[in-house]
Amino acid sequence: MDSLLPAVGRVARKEFRGFFATPAAYLFLGAFLAATLFIFFWVEKFFARNIADVRPLFQWLPQLLIFLVAALTMRAWSEERRGGTLESLLTAPVPPLALVLGKFAAALGLVALALALTLPLPVTASLLGPLDWGPVVGGYVATLFLAAAYVAIGLYMSVRTDNPIVALILTAVVCGLFYLVGSDTLTGLFGHSVARILDDLGTGSRFASTTRGVLDPADLYYYVSLVGVFLTLNLYTLERLRWAGNPASARHRRWGVLAGLVAANFVAANLWLTPLNLARADITAGHLYTLSDATRQQLAELREPLLIRGYFSAKTHPLLAPLVPQIEDLLHEYAVAAGGRARVEFIDPTRDRDAEEEAASRYGIRPVPFQTADRYQSAVVNSYFNLVIAYGDQYETLGYRDLIEVKARGERDLDVVLKDPEYAITRAIRKVAGAYQSGGNPFEELNHPITFKGYLSPDDRLPESLRTLHGDLQGILDDLVKKSDGKLKVSFEDPDADGGKLAAELKRKYGFGPQIASLLDPQPFWFYMVLEGDGDAAQVPLPETLDKASLERSINAALQRLTPGVLKTIAVVKPPAYGPGGQHYSELEKVLGENARLKTVDLKNGRVPEEADLLLLLAPRELDDRQRFAVDQFLMRGGSVVLATSPFDVQVGNSLKASKEKSGLGDWLAGYGIDVGDAMVLDPQNAALPVPVERNIGGLSLREIRMLPYPHFPDLRDEELNPDNPITAALGQLTLNWVSPISVDAQKNAKRKVTELLHSSAESWTSDSLDMVPDYRGYPDSGFAVSGQRGAQLLAVALEGRFDSYYRGKESPLAAEEAAKPDEPAQGGAKAGEKEEKKPRITGVIERSPESARLIVVSSNTFASDASLELASQGMSTLYTQPLAFLQNAIDWSLEDRGLLSLRGRTRLARTLDPLPEGQRRVWEYLNYGLALAGLIAVWGWRRRVAVADRRRYQRILAEA
């Protein structure tokens, strides 16, 4: 071995110099660079694709390397045989193994040099967008290993013939067969089990797995085994050439047996390496292909068996077929991580009639028709691409729309990738587990005791209706104590007792104060309820109807807020969907409904529903005093309020129309030191807007849609998304629409925690103009005039801590309106002269919130509406959902439900390029052309210096001789 390595080095250097002794090496490098640049910028349209990655380049390399490596290796041995120099090599004092390894190292070194010259491409992508370097590193590693396998095959084919052209054809055919075996063209003809075997045999599928950013020793060893087998055959062929013409001997047979055993061992090692996943390295940013701690924690909380069943048909759309093995691998990881608490199954309903009927009748799963075509015919394939997650009597289904992400690259070309499947699957598990648990005994999921504290006045001071409710409360609590198995304790106290010490403490801690039934019955009393446990507190609001069933629901809702894993309830206030200013939020409601219960409310009764855990206000408009009071008191009870508001409303139709509007919450927000400015933020770093443009061609006026920069759509990235807050840390990018600046009064918020979530870029400016239509003729760069001082603007903020009520020291609007109402006539079936019994409206003002209260303000009315999402999606040629992910994260953070925060928004197609004008894009493209040429010149200069140094060394040796 000590003598072998120096010999290999000498042969490799000699062969490497030989490549550059002729134009062959420069032709190889030039052709490789020209092909990669053409593919990157022209075929895959890097800038039009608008994704910060180099994945399309690596998708082409397996085919490209077949021909380039075949041309590189065709002369390696065949030229030696044709020129008669092979005999001299075999009789030289150099081991044949050193000759084989030296030629292999030289050829692979030239391929590595060619790959190094392509490094400006990923560097460019990283400078223009949030590039994930994991897949890039994986791509280069996979390319080197694949090239090594191709080089070994090429060397063996070259040693088998003395004709370089024949060697080239043989190499291309054999390498092409290895690639074809695992390609979608062949695997699509078989079922998943056979296709999986073919994937393992082919070079393409393992290459694709590594280029995702997952370094699996089994995949890398596959290429090592190919190298070992073909280099062994190469060495054996050289030995046979050495004894060619001699009679067969035992030594020759031993060589054959030894070569066969070595090759067989290289192949056999694949069988025992394949099941081992312990050394698998996920080098992607955020470890996209490794189960997160959030998922493992969710699986650890399972109390019942979980079923995950995949319905995948053998015949499916060719763009979906490569994704099935990735989902299967991920689900196997779920099964392992669950440790027996989860069962994973895969079924092809097209081959099992009973399974197909069960999928349709029980889960509502039916095949989806896909249009496919090959070179013989076009057809429609009914395909299954679904997952079912079942837990107890609850289940959730995921279709291909939930699992994949599609981006258009042209009229017919599509990018199809998995859309963060771990988030979709874990979210479904959380939903079914939460739904199942919420229907059972909530105390079973509690691992700490809960105390119910009732702060009630004696019955003689309570209104009559509350005396009855007091008795109902006692009965409800008795039943809960029995169900709790000792986890629930109950205590009642009179806040006015002992000189009102407790009343003062409640006012300081919770902002509680005396209540009244109405201004007509001003006798003050106390009737507050709180659940406390493990340092958390949930206030139990009085139900508006003051009946036993409503009170029981209110208590159970508070219990669920303290129970981990139970679905939360979100009360949503949104503008009307029709008429002036109508907005649709169907996409937002769909995604929020995946993790929580939604309840649409208008707050006109002055109350937020008792079961609500969070209040979401979308573009509130002209809220009256009762509605404002409902928002205020929900926050005072320690609730979380997420508010999307702006002084402007923009309607999307045949044109863009902006109008001023008032939310009714301006003064309320000002009390907490928040002011949403009466202007809009325009940012030169922005997303595109689809704009109709008139073109005159041959006297005909044509209208086409062009994607042009639109400053009213700020494109937020990097530090503009707070990296230290979980709401924004994992988003990567976010586009806001028609957003206003926010200012925060530091003095008013001195005792609260203020977190600035979103900022515009440092070059942004503000404008109060209502003209939303860009003028690209007058202002070619942005479509709008730049006015005022430039600077970063705050666009979203989160407040945590204790809030003082806007109604502190004021009468409750509910009590005031009750007193102002005249006596109403009898309704319905009440007889004349009879007075309908009316229950008093119990009201009061909670003057201070607990520390758990949270308020998030986003200064845009429309950024999560369907119309805005559609505009952003058209500009990016993919379904754009980052605003929805932001709101989901804000809600989870507000409810202290952090389980999915780290998973949401990690889709690969969301890593878009920074907005650039067309001129700058051309500069970057031409710069890469120039760098490629400079790289070739640098290689020429390097080899020129080496050649000059060699000549001087030879001249010195000759002079000494």
Side-chain angles (χ1 to χ4, degrees):
M1 180 62 69
D2 292 340
S3 61
L4 178 63
L5 291 179
V8 171
R10 288 193 297 270
V11 173
R13 284 193 296 272
K14 180 257 183 187
E15 291 292 327
F16 195 77
R17 285 183 170 90
F19 287 133
F20 289 95
T22 66
Y26 298 105
L27 290 175
F28 172 80
L29 294 175
F32 184 81
L33 285 177
T36 54
L37 289 170
F38 178 73
I39 290 171
F40 193 73
F41 288 110
W42 292 81
V43 177
E44 295 296 335
K45 302 178 178 65
F46 171 69
F47 287 109
R49 184 170 174 266
N50 198 34
I51 303 295
D53 68 9
V54 291
R55 186 169 57 91
L57 172 62
F58 292 120
Q59 288 177 334
W60 282 85
L61 282 180
Q63 303 99 302
L64 183 61
L65 285 175
I66 290 174
F67 302 100
L68 292 178
V69 171
L72 180 66
T73 59
M74 66 180 186
R75 298 172 63 249
W77 293 110
S78 59
E79 199 70 24
E80 304 277 6
R81 294 185 64 176
R82 171 180 289 188
T85 57
L86 182 60
E87 290 79 3
S88 301
L89 284 176
L90 295 179
T91 56
V94 179
L97 181 59
L99 295 175
V100 173
L101 294 178
K103 286 181 177 288
F104 171 78
L108 187 59
L110 189 59
V111 174
L113 178 60
L115 288 176
L117 293 177
T118 66
L119 283 175
L121 295 178
V123 171
T124 297
S126 69
L127 294 175
L128 298 181
L131 177 70
D132 182 353
W133 278 97
V136 176
V137 173
Y140 278 111
V141 170
T143 303
L144 275 176
F145 275 81
L146 177 63
Y150 285 171
V151 168
I153 294 172
L155 290 177
Y156 174 65
M157 297 304 160
S158 181
V159 82
R160 297 288 299 174
T161 178
D162 60 357
N163 189 326
I165 302 300
V166 173
L168 183 148
I169 294 173
L170 289 175
T171 301
V173 169
V174 174
C175 293
L177 286 175
F178 271 103
Y179 176 77
L180 182 64
V181 166
S183 68
D184 301 335
T185 303
L186 188 61
T187 56
L189 302 176
F190 303 93
H192 293 304
S193 57
V194 177
R196 197 62 181 264
I197 296 174
L198 295 177
D199 279 341
D200 291 338
L201 294 176
T203 57
S205 59
R206 295 179 183 271
F207 182 87
S209 176
T210 308
T211 55
R212 286 186 299 142
V214 179
L215 301 183
D216 191 332
D219 290 337
L220 300 182
Y221 178 78
Y222 166 78
Y223 297 113
V224 173
S225 66
L226 288 180
V227 171
V229 167
F230 282 98
L231 290 186
T232 300
L233 294 176
N234 192 339
L235 181 61
Y236 177 65
T237 303
L238 287 179
E239 288 295 327
R240 290 192 62 186
L241 290 175
R242 290 180 67 177
W243 67 63
N246 296 328
S249 65
R251 180 174 178 272
H252 298 168
R253 288 191 292 273
R254 285 196 300 272
W255 256 104
V257 171
L258 180 61
L261 287 175
V262 171
N265 276 279
F266 273 117
V267 174
N270 284 284
L271 302 178
W272 60 265
L273 268 178
T274 299
L276 300 180
N277 293 320
L278 298 179
R280 176 178 175 272
D282 183 353
I283 60 176
T284 59
H287 303 294
L288 297 180
Y289 303 102
T290 302
L291 291 187
S292 65
D293 292 338
T295 296
R296 295 182 185 276
Q297 179 64 30
Q298 181 64 45
L299 294 174
E301 293 175 356
L302 296 176
R303 297 293 180 265
E304 300 289 333
L306 174 73
L307 171 65
I308 305 178
R309 179 178 293 166
Y311 290 99
F312 300 112
S313 53
K315 296 288 186 180
T316 188
H317 194 283
L319 294 177
L320 295 179
L323 306 181
V324 175
Q326 299 179 32
I327 294 178
E328 292 180 349
D329 290 342
L330 180 64
L331 293 183
H332 283 306
E333 290 196 33
Y334 271 85
V336 173
R341 291 183 296 272
R343 186 173 83 254
V344 175
E345 299 175 352
F346 299 101
I347 296 176
D348 185 350
T350 61
R351 300 185 178 185
D352 188 335
R353 185 62 179 270
D354 294 337
E356 187 171 26
E357 291 180 357
E358 181 189 24
S361 61
R362 185 173 181 181
Y363 302 118
I365 293 176
R366 290 176 172 81
V368 177
F370 289 110
Q371 182 77 34
T372 62
D374 56 26
R375 61 194 185 97
Y376 296 110
Q377 63 180 351
S378 61
V380 175
V381 176
N382 289 321
S383 172
Y384 285 89
F385 195 92
N386 304 85
L387 290 179
V388 170
I389 290 87
Y391 187 76
D393 59 351
Q394 302 291 322
Y395 68 88
E396 181 81 0
T397 61
L398 300 175
Y400 73 95
R401 289 185 176 89
D402 303 301
L403 297 171
I404 68 169
E405 190 170 13
V406 180
K407 180 176 176 62
R409 290 188 282 128
E411 294 183 359
R412 297 184 179 180
D413 294 331
L414 298 174
D415 256 335
V416 179
V417 298
L418 288 179
K419 184 183 179 180
D420 197 1
E422 184 187 355
Y423 166 72
I425 297 169
T426 301
R427 183 265 305 163
I429 294 174
R430 286 169 59 86
K431 184 175 181 179
V432 296
Y436 180 77
Q437 293 166 11
S438 63
N441 185 352
F443 294 102
E444 292 180 358
E445 303 301 322
L446 286 171
N447 51 15
H448 53 79
I450 295 289
T451 301
F452 176 92
K453 293 185 177 181
Y455 303 108
L456 279 64
S457 297
D459 282 354
D460 59 355
R461 293 177 54 195
L462 292 176
E464 183 177 350
S465 58
L466 288 186
R467 295 173 197 166
T468 304
L469 193 66
H470 186 190
D472 295 337
L473 172 62
Q474 191 64 58
I476 295 170
L477 292 175
D478 289 342
D479 292 340
L480 289 175
V481 169
K482 293 176 183 178
K483 292 173 61 177
S484 70
D485 194 21
K487 292 182 179 178
L488 178 64
K489 298 180 180 180
V490 178
S491 70
F492 288 96
E493 296 181 77
D494 179 7
D496 289 329
D498 196 17
K501 291 183 179 179
L502 179 58
E505 175 64 20
L506 292 176
K507 186 172 184 179
R508 184 193 65 79
K509 187 175 182 180
Y510 295 114
F512 291 166
Q515 297 161 286
I516 58 173
S518 71
L519 292 182
L520 301 178
D521 183 11
Q523 174 68 29
F525 62 88
W526 293 79
F527 203 111
Y528 292 97
M529 298 168 287
V530 176
L531 284 172
E532 295 182 352
D534 196 29
D536 295 325
Q539 296 181 27
V540 182
L542 265 177
E544 184 177 9
T545 54
L546 301 181
D547 62 285
K548 182 178 180 180
S550 298
L551 178 61
E552 187 171 7
R553 285 196 298 269
S554 187
I555 294 174
N556 285 329
L559 268 175
Q560 290 180 8
R561 285 197 285 277
L562 298 178
T563 304
V566 176
L567 288 182
K568 308 298 184 181
T569 299
I570 301 174
V572 182
V573 179
K574 59 181 181 179
Y578 303 99
Q583 294 284 356
H584 293 269
Y585 292 91
S586 58
E587 291 297 326
L588 176 62
E589 291 171 339
K590 177 183 175 182
V591 298
L592 293 183
E594 294 171 350
N595 301 314
R597 300 184 188 91
L598 297 185
K599 185 169 185 176
T600 302
V601 297
D602 59 16
L603 305 182
K604 290 184 178 179
N605 63 352
R607 293 176 180 270
V608 177
E610 295 83 4
E611 66 271 20
D613 299 285
L614 180 137
L615 179 61
L616 174 62
L617 296 107
L618 301 170
R621 183 174 303 148
E622 299 287 352
L623 298 188
D624 59 27
D625 207 26
R626 293 162 64 93
Q627 293 170 304
R628 185 164 48 246
F629 180 73
V631 177
D632 178 90
Q633 291 298 284
F634 182 76
L635 186 67
M636 293 307 109
R637 295 206 306 261
S640 297
V641 177
V642 178
L643 172 61
T645 184
S646 169
F648 299 89
D649 182 59
V650 180
Q651 299 301 308
V652 180
N654 295 329
S655 184
L656 300 175
K657 297 180 180 179
S659 59
K660 291 285 189 71
E661 70 172 31
K662 293 183 178 181
S663 66
L665 293 174
D667 294 339
W668 182 77
L669 287 174
Y672 304 130
I674 299 177
D675 177 61
V676 180
D678 193 13
M680 288 193 193
V681 176
L682 290 84
D683 199 328
Q685 178 181 300
N686 54 66
L689 176 73
V691 176
V693 177
E694 299 288 343
R695 292 182 60 193
N696 192 305
I697 302 178
L700 295 177
S701 180
L702 301 178
R703 192 179 191 186
E704 63 179 13
I705 302 297
R706 294 182 61 185
M707 312 310 291
L708 298 174
Y710 190 59
H712 280 287
F713 288 3
D715 183 289
L716 314 181
R717 300 167 183 262
D718 302 327
E719 295 300 321
E720 295 155 9
L721 304 171
N722 189 332
D724 300 321
N725 189 280
I727 297 177
T728 51
L731 287 180
Q733 185 274 341
L734 178 64
T735 297
L736 292 183
N737 311 83
W738 298 297
V739 61
S740 299
I742 297 176
S743 59
V744 179
D745 189 322
Q747 184 176 357
K748 290 185 178 180
N749 287 282
K751 295 183 179 181
R752 286 189 286 268
K753 181 179 180 181
V754 178
T755 304
E756 297 183 351
L757 299 174
L758 304 175
H759 288 89
S760 62
S761 76
E763 296 299 315
S764 59
W765 70 96
T766 61
S767 171
D768 58 2
S769 172
L770 296 180
D771 185 6
M772 299 293 103
V773 179
D775 178 11
Y776 293 107
R777 292 184 178 179
Y779 309 99
D781 292 336
S782 64
F784 294 91
V786 178
S787 59
Q789 186 176 359
R790 293 186 183 237
Q793 302 290 335
L794 177 62
L795 308 180
V797 64
L799 306 181
E800 304 174 70
R802 191 181 297 276
F803 294 80
D804 291 327
S805 172
Y806 177 78
Y807 293 89
R808 183 178 184 179
K810 303 177 183 178
E811 292 180 349
S812 164
L814 304 185
E817 290 186 11
E818 189 73 18
K821 287 181 180 178
D823 291 338
E824 296 178 356
Q827 301 290 326
K831 295 180 181 179
E834 291 182 0
K835 190 174 183 180
E836 186 178 295
E837 182 182 356
K838 294 174 59 180
K839 291 185 178 180
R841 181 183 292 272
I842 307 303
T843 185
V845 176
I846 303 175
E847 296 185 347
R848 180 173 294 178
S849 76
E851 293 288 343
S852 60
R854 296 183 176 187
L855 173 63
I856 297 178
V857 180
V858 186
S859 56
S860 171
N861 275 332
T862 60
F863 81 104
S865 67
D866 292 348
S868 294
L869 293 177
E870 183 178 356
L871 283 176
S873 298
Q874 291 178 14
M876 297 184 179
S877 300
T878 185
L879 180 61
Y880 185 67
T881 59
Q882 292 299 90
L884 308 183
F886 170 78
L887 275 179
Q888 286 177 285
N889 285 349
I891 290 170
D892 287 351
W893 176 83
S894 301
L895 297 176
E896 297 187 349
D897 186 4
R898 310 295 174 87
L900 298 176
L901 286 177
S902 60
L903 300 180
R904 195 178 288 120
R906 303 191 307 170
T907 57
R908 284 187 286 172
L909 298 186
R911 292 179 172 270
T912 56
L913 299 175
D914 295 338
L916 285 176
E918 184 176 351
Q920 292 188 27
R921 295 182 179 187
R922 291 184 182 276
V923 169
W924 281 103
E925 181 179 350
Y926 295 150
L927 177 62
N928 276 274
Y929 298 155
L931 289 174
L933 181 60
L936 284 176
I937 294 174
V939 171
W940 177 84
W942 168 46
R943 298 315 305 176
R944 179 76 175 173
R945 292 184 59 185
V946 171
V948 170
D950 286 344
R951 280 198 299 271
R952 289 175 179 173
R953 180 164 56 86
Y954 295 149
Q955 291 172 357
R956 187 168 58 253
I957 293 174
L958 291 174
E960 292 175 355

